Each structure stands twice: as C-alpha cells, then as structure tokens.
Amino acid sequence: MDRPTRDHHSFPIRDVPVARIRPEEGLGRRRDRDGHRDLQRSIERFGVLTPITVRPAPDKSGDYLLIKGQGRTLACRLLGVRTIPAVVVDDTYAETAKVQQFLVENVARLKMRPVDRALLIQRARAEGEETSAIAGRFGVSAATVRRLLTQLDGATPGEVEALRSGDVNLAMQAVIARHVEPSERQGVLTIIAGLSIKPKELEALFVALGWQELESLGRAELGARVALLHWACNALVESPRGSLKDRLAQVALAFPTELARAGASYAVVSQ
C-alpha cells in the first residue's frame, strides 16, 4: 500500500520574517533578470499572493529553510518587506517537497551530470512519483527510467558516494553491479577508482576471470579474488595497444602462478 501523504494545505500559513529565511541546500538557482524585475514590481504593487514554502531550521536557531519561493523571497528582501506569508511544513513533507521542487525548478535549467540525473530519478521514484511522470520530467523514456532504477536498486552507500565523487561513472557502476555481489563491491570500487580502465574492458575481465565462480568460493577468498582482479586490471591497462582480444591474450600469458598472503592482504606472484 502507498504511504499516506499530506499536501501543503494541511500545514499552517504564517508571516515569517524575511531576514530569518535561509535557502535549503541544493535549491538555489540563477534568476532570469527580466522575469525577476517583473516579479518584484508585482510584489511591490500587490504583495505576495502565493505563500512560499519553508521548514524550521534543524539547528534550533529560529531560522527557516526555504524550500520553494526563492524569487518571491529575494524580491521581498530587495524591497525591504519585513515578513512574507509562508507555508511552514514538517521535515517529512519538506524532504519530499525539496526533491520535487528541485526537479521542477532546476532540472530543465542545469546541465546535469548523468549520475546526478540518475540519482534524482531514483529519489523521485522512492518518493512515490510514477515512472511515466519521471520520464516526462527528465525528457527520457520510461525504459531508461526503469533501467536506471534497476541498476541503482540495492546500490551500497559506497557506490553512491563513488558515483557522486566521480570516482566511477554510471557505465562502470553498471558493470560492477552486474558481476559483483553488493557486499563485495566496496573492495572492487576501491581498486577501480584509481585506474583508467574502461567499462567494456572491466566487463571482459569479469567474464575472463569467471568472477561468478570465484565468488562461489565464499567470503574467505574475498581478499584473494580482489587482489587478482587488481592485478588483472593493471595488467590490461599496461598492455600494449591493440584489440581488446589481443590485450586479454597478453594478460593470460602473464597470469600469476599464485597469490601469497601478506598479512591481511595478498601479493600476486607472477610467472
């Protein structure tokens, strides 16, 4: 069953001091100058006709975090208006409203990284927005939305952080997600992040190494298989130029004879 949700009409409208309003993280955006001048003139003549949306700041400072209504708030600040009508929502509603407002106000205006778009799509779906609505909002197909949701389903915090930081891209994360169990992905991410290997090359290595069979050996051999993958990735990256098939053949010729344990880690013993 869907969770019951409240709309903004169920929250109080208050006159909030403009000086106590701070922008919610992630919702600031550049203003269209002409449009903002028109808004400022309208407020100067008629006042604020549509309340903004805020939530109490969690730091107990008495401030409010702005969720929706940046233009109206800025216009009031410039005009010297001391208070502004605001719908004051709770944290639960604010989190949903923040995401939706980000999508409405920013997605069409920002050149977003694919990973940012994917994470926002995942967040919007988690908040209950329908796949078709998400697809229309982002200008992608419903199939693309479903593919991204499947890819990110079960993504570990380490994967999300690696995506956000740019250590791995969506294509690389998709390869890792296809071949590596969630509980083992952090070790793989750690070695991949520092290499210039391509997604198709990593895909080929997972297949060539028989990664699923290696995982079937259990957690006790995790360190060994990660060390082997690390060696294979380096060997492929450093192999002479040529087709991927030829470079994999070169890696096979240099395949290590054993993995020697060195404390908590493993050292690869080459031929």
Side-chain angles (χ1 to χ4, degrees), residues 37-216:
R37 279 195 290 266
D38 291 341
L39 175 62
Q40 191 172 330
R41 284 193 292 267
S42 174
I43 289 177
E44 187 174 26
R45 183 176 179 183
F46 303 109
V48 177
L49 302 179
T50 303
I52 63 172
T53 304
V54 299
R55 66 174 172 129
D59 57 10
K60 310 299 182 183
S61 62
D63 288 350
Y64 295 87
L65 298 183
L66 179 65
I67 298 171
K68 183 177 181 181
Q70 178 184 327
R72 282 160 281 169
T73 303
L74 178 58
C76 286
R77 186 169 284 127
L78 292 173
L79 290 169
V81 177
R82 305 186 70 173
T83 63
I84 184 171
V87 178
V88 183
V89 303
D90 60 26
D91 287 343
T92 301
Y93 181 90
E95 195 61 27
T96 298
K98 175 183 174 181
V99 172
Q100 296 302 327
Q101 187 59 21
F102 184 94
L103 295 174
V104 170
E105 293 197 348
N106 291 324
V107 167
R109 297 175 176 87
L110 297 176
K111 184 178 180 180
M112 302 184 72
R113 296 184 306 164
V115 61
D116 294 325
R117 181 178 63 182
L119 291 172
L120 279 173
I121 285 174
Q122 181 192 42
R123 185 62 178 274
R125 188 68 186 91
E127 294 293 343
E129 188 170 359
E130 294 297 329
T131 299
S132 58
I134 297 172
R137 191 187 300 278
F138 282 93
V140 298
S141 67
T144 296
V145 172
R146 287 191 291 270
R147 176 179 58 78
L148 289 172
L149 292 174
T150 299
Q151 177 179 334
L152 294 174
D153 183 38
T156 64
E159 286 176 85
V160 174
E161 181 56 35
L163 285 166
R164 284 177 172 157
S165 66
D167 286 341
V168 297
N169 57 30
L170 280 171
M172 189 68 79
Q173 189 269 340
V175 173
I176 294 172
R178 276 197 298 273
H179 292 277
V180 184
E181 291 292 327
S183 62
E184 300 190 2
R185 290 176 191 169
Q186 191 57 54
V188 174
L189 285 168
T190 300
I191 64 173
I192 295 302
L195 297 175
S196 58
I197 192 167
K198 298 176 181 178
K200 66 178 182 180
E201 295 172 336
L202 182 62
E203 178 87 41
L205 280 178
F206 278 132
V207 173
L209 291 173
W211 192 258
Q212 289 185 343
E213 287 75 15
L214 292 178
E215 282 191 329
S216 69

Side-chain angles (χ1 to χ4, degrees), residues 26-39:
L27 291 185
R29 64 181 176 93
R30 295 180 179 179
R31 305 296 310 179
D32 173 71
R33 290 186 178 182
D34 292 336
H36 191 261
R37 279 195 290 266
D38 291 341
L39 175 62

